[in-house]
Amino acid sequence: MPAVSLIYPPGLLFQRGEDRCQSNIDSSTATSMRACNDLGYAAAVLKQKGFDVFLKDYQTERLSLNDLAADLKNSRCDMLMLSTTNATVFTDLEIVKRLKEIFPALCVVLKGAIFFDPEDGLLAQLDLTDVDYLIGGESDFIIGDLAAAHFYDQAKLPLIGGILYKKDGRWVKTDFTRWHDDLDDLPFPDRALMNNALYLRPDTQEKQATIAASRGCPSNCIFCLTPHISGKRLRLRSPENIFAEIQQCYEQFGIRNFFFKSDTFTINKAWTTALCDLIVNSPLRGKIEWVANSRVNPIDQETLVKMKQAGCWLVAFGFESGSPESLEKMKKGATVEQNKTAAAMAKKAGLKVYGFYLIGFPWEDRKHLEQTEKLIFDIDADFIELHIATPFYGTELYEMAGAAGLIDESVLGKDYFNAPTVGTRHLPIDEIERFRKRVILKYHLRPSYILRKLWQAALKPRILKNYFVFGLKLIKNTLKR
């Protein structure tokens, strides 16, 4: 039976399983590395089809290319699937080139959001000579069929949606218009192959599992890839299926902390309540804690209280901006007042708040940035990230920034902290970067903020230590930029 290796390659830390944002962890203020669920799902599916599977996250283990090459030499590998991002694709391709020099017969599959129905101009920027297949669709539903077709019947390749394959030296795209409806069909990620000790809750450094709760998003935010790569129709796993995965994590792997991966965790109140009720009415009540993302609209106090009862300790909101004009133009579907109300309700429910903000949209000037700064301090979240808007391929923001002549050569190789734009129509990028640096330092170095963190960590030495480590990292990264 053929052997397939699934890897995150050596390099800087990026959320390679987060197709939507692909965050730069090394440069972030408070974000931790999430589990490699995309590889775990792929492993489970491939094993169901009878393939031998090897899985390793080289970037998070801080291993080198030599370590990767040694592993491939010591274990049989017929196909290699590598998860890439918008920011790392060039360095990842260099790694592929080196590996092909050592293992010329190796079949290489590159998986990433940038390959979702890609335009020819994007592919032309990349040296894909050493790559055999590109996966831009939902890799967990795809990789099993792709491996089977490659090894046993390549005539079936055109029938596999969401991929590109080579024919007569040219890339051929298959259907990118279909998504799988029943998410419960997927086996749980193979956590027996994953090094779960790598993925930690930031404040306590306990093991934290990622649970993919839904896919797709009906919203229209111009900067977000989710509606493009996952569809605008919300697809939910059943609460029972999610709860069964939580139980497996707790009972088999000793994991009691969870991140629910869902852009819209609270958008369907009945579904959210049903999941919370399963936890509350089970022996796991009081034994697990978890984090979820939420929109500020819709959200209500009753749902947040229910989440708290079920073990939620932190909720993350994409507040994005304090400018009414910016919120409208980015098609956020929310107002500044709704941002403030959602944060206040979460705090009232006893939840910590993680706020995400974006600056540097094409139309923004100093007034818009100042309004966002005011909102950041008005909300006074427990944790914040202030990103520079990145026009990913496939988003409306990419089209808008390109039409305005604001993209500096290419968006490839760039991220939230290494902007691909020259700025806005009114502000140069260096002024936007200086604004970000000033606000981040001003926010986190406030005596009131520092005292609050000390109070929250009172009698909890581990949390106090980790707050200190994150604080030093934040100051170092911000000053370095």
Side-chain angles (χ1 to χ4, degrees), residues 35 191-200 207-209 253 255:
R191 291 187 170 88
L193 289 181
M194 295 161 58
N195 185 352
N196 299 293
L198 293 175
Y199 313 108
L200 305 175
K207 289 187 293 185
Q208 178 173 274
F253 301 100
I255 301 173

Side-chain angles (χ1 to χ4, degrees), residues 168-275:
D168 300 326
R170 298 178 63 86
W171 286 105
V172 177
K173 279 193 285 189
T174 62
D175 185 7
F176 279 83
T177 64
R178 293 178 285 117
W179 290 274
H180 294 265
D181 290 329
D182 191 353
L183 302 183
D184 288 3
D185 276 349
L186 279 175
F188 300 153
D190 191 335
R191 291 187 170 88
L193 289 181
M194 295 161 58
N195 185 352
N196 299 293
L198 293 175
Y199 313 108
L200 305 175
R201 174 173 157 171
D203 59 337
T204 66
Q205 295 294 284
E206 298 172 284
K207 289 187 293 185
Q208 178 173 274
T210 295
I211 305 286
S214 71
R215 303 188 188 185
C217 181
S219 301
N220 298 301
C221 305
I222 67 170
F223 55 85
C224 186
L225 274 169
T226 295
H228 177 64
I229 62 177
S230 297
K232 291 184 69 65
R233 184 170 56 84
L234 181 62
R235 292 171 289 145
L236 295 165
R237 287 175 63 186
S238 70
E240 293 77 14
N241 186 253
I242 294 172
F243 182 72
E245 185 177 349
I246 295 171
Q247 284 182 305
Q248 183 200 65
C249 289
Y250 184 86
E251 295 169 1
Q252 296 184 27
F253 301 100
I255 301 173
R256 59 178 299 275
N257 291 279
F258 301 90
F259 167 74
F260 288 127
K261 181 185 174 186
S262 173
D263 293 283
T264 53
F265 186 81
T266 59
I267 198 169
N268 184 320
K269 182 176 180 177
W271 176 88
T272 306
T273 300
L275 176 58

Side-chain angles (χ1 to χ4, degrees), residues 95-116:
I95 290 172
V96 169
K97 182 178 180 180
R98 294 280 301 279
L99 292 176
K100 289 285 276 194
E101 291 171 353
I102 305 171
F103 311 100
L106 183 65
C107 173
V108 175
V109 180
L110 210 58
K111 165 256 171 188
I114 60 174
F115 301 122
F116 186 91

Side-chain angles (χ1 to χ4, degrees), residues 381-401:
D382 295 275
F383 311 99
I384 67 165
E385 294 284 357
L386 179 56
H387 292 151
I388 297 175
T390 300
F392 291 119
Y393 280 101
T395 63
E396 188 176 343
L397 179 59
Y398 173 76
E399 301 297 331
M400 185 181 295

Side-chain angles (χ1 to χ4, degrees), residues 12-16 20-28 85-91 114 358-359 385-392 397 408 410-421 429 432-433 436 481:
L12 297 176
L13 286 185
F14 278 82
Q15 300 285 29
R16 293 175 180 266
R20 173 175 58 84
C21 57
Q22 309 156 41
S23 299
N24 181 335
I25 304 304
D26 280 320
S27 296
S28 71
T85 73
N86 184 85
T88 64
V89 64
F90 292 114
T91 54
I114 60 174
L358 281 171
I359 54 173
E385 294 284 357
L386 179 56
H387 292 151
I388 297 175
T390 300
F392 291 119
L397 179 59
D408 185 12
S410 173
V411 301
L412 295 180
K414 306 290 186 177
D415 60 52
Y416 291 132
F417 309 107
N418 180 21
T421 61
I429 191 63
I432 296 170
E433 291 173 341
R436 180 188 179 276
R481 283 189 292 270

Side-chain angles (χ1 to χ4, degrees), residues 9 48 74 87 114 218 371 382 414 422 437:
Q48 279 187 344
N74 294 330
I114 60 174
Q371 289 173 321
D382 295 275
K414 306 290 186 177
V422 298
K437 177 187 295 187

